[in-house]
Amino acid sequence: DIQMTQSPSSLSASVGDRVTITCRASQSVDKYVNWYQQKPGKAPRLLMYGAVSLHTGVPARFSGSGSGTDFTLTISTLQPEDFATYYCQQSYRIPRTFGQGTRLDIK
Amino acid sequence: QVQLQESGPGLVRPSETLSLTCSVSGGFLTSAGYYWGWIRQPPGKGLEWIGHIYYSESTDYNPSLGGRVTISVDTSKNQFSLKLTSVTATDTAVYFCAGCSSWTPPYYFDHWGQGALVTVSS
């Protein structure tokens, strides 16, 4: 299985900050990484797909980069609604695997 | 707007079979998406991909579940289903159904149900 490792596991930040979350794959997954946001008690929400493509309706302050084994999700200017848990997922191989999550909370 | 809704028992006894159904509305299952899948999340933990079905009959499953999983589609009801046999307490989780509307790579889940908590307990 391809292991997806996110860092950090948790992060405290303030509204207006720029935040970057990293996801590393245990082997190359080309560009096939998706990012999801999950709030407590809710289903995950797709933010980015194919590493760099912004899903419809997602604010432009979210961006993604990377290919191969190293990927990042960046939030350029944190808004109050962005405090949540973020997951990366690879869709390159079966089984699809998720990172362990990065919890982003308010400093 | 495609919407998904899980349904099924919230309590399953150990060694029995967990059965959930996902009803798709706002579009036909055979045309609204390519992959239809299940993901679960144990209380307080991360997401685990269970498996998916595509072309209405081809399936991929997570090997970590030891061959206990079956995903199927009922196009007449616009639903797809999950069966997980021989459950134990470690199968207690919120189960999400999800759909991928992309017909070409990269594949992703852009439609999600709200989730259904299933507890395994006697």
Side-chain angles (χ1 to χ4, degrees), chain A residues 9-27:
Chain A
S9 294
S10 63
L11 174 61
S12 294
S14 301
V15 173
D17 284 353
R18 179 183 181 90
V19 167
T20 297
I21 298 169
T22 297
C23 181
R24 174 163 288 177
S26 59
Q27 64 186 78

Side-chain angles (χ1 to χ4, degrees), chain A residues 13-93:
Chain A
S14 301
V15 173
D17 284 353
R18 179 183 181 90
V19 167
T20 297
I21 298 169
T22 297
C23 181
R24 174 163 288 177
S26 59
Q27 64 186 78
S28 177
V29 294
D30 196 347
K31 59 180 179 178
Y32 297 115
V33 165
N34 308 316
W35 289 95
Y36 299 88
Q37 176 194 66
Q38 187 181 32
K39 295 182 178 180
K42 300 293 188 182
R45 168 197 179 199
L46 178 69
L47 298 176
M48 311 288 305
Y49 62 92
V52 300
S53 297
L54 193 68
H55 182 52
T56 305
V58 176
R61 62 180 179 273
F62 290 91
S63 63
S65 66
S67 66
T69 60
D70 294 311
F71 301 85
T72 60
L73 173 71
T74 298
I75 310 171
S76 60
T77 307
L78 270 177
Q79 298 300 304
E81 61 268 30
D82 300 335
F83 293 95
T85 299
Y86 294 84
Y87 293 93
C88 61
Q89 180 219 7
Q90 62 83 17
S91 61
Y92 186 68
R93 287 277 184 263

Side-chain angles (χ1 to χ4, degrees), chain A residues 32 34 36 38 42-44 46 49-50 55 87 91 94-96 98, chain B residues 35 41 45-47 49 52 62 96 105-110 112-113:
Chain A
Y32 297 115
N34 308 316
Y36 299 88
Q38 187 181 32
K42 300 293 188 182
L46 178 69
Y49 62 92
H55 182 52
Y87 293 93
S91 61
I94 301 298
R96 309 290 194 228
F98 289 88
Chain B
Y35 281 101
Q41 185 170 39
K45 296 190 177 180
L47 301 167
W49 177 83
H52 59 222
N62 195 328
F96 295 100
Y107 299 114
Y108 45 80
F109 287 121
D110 53 338
W112 291 74

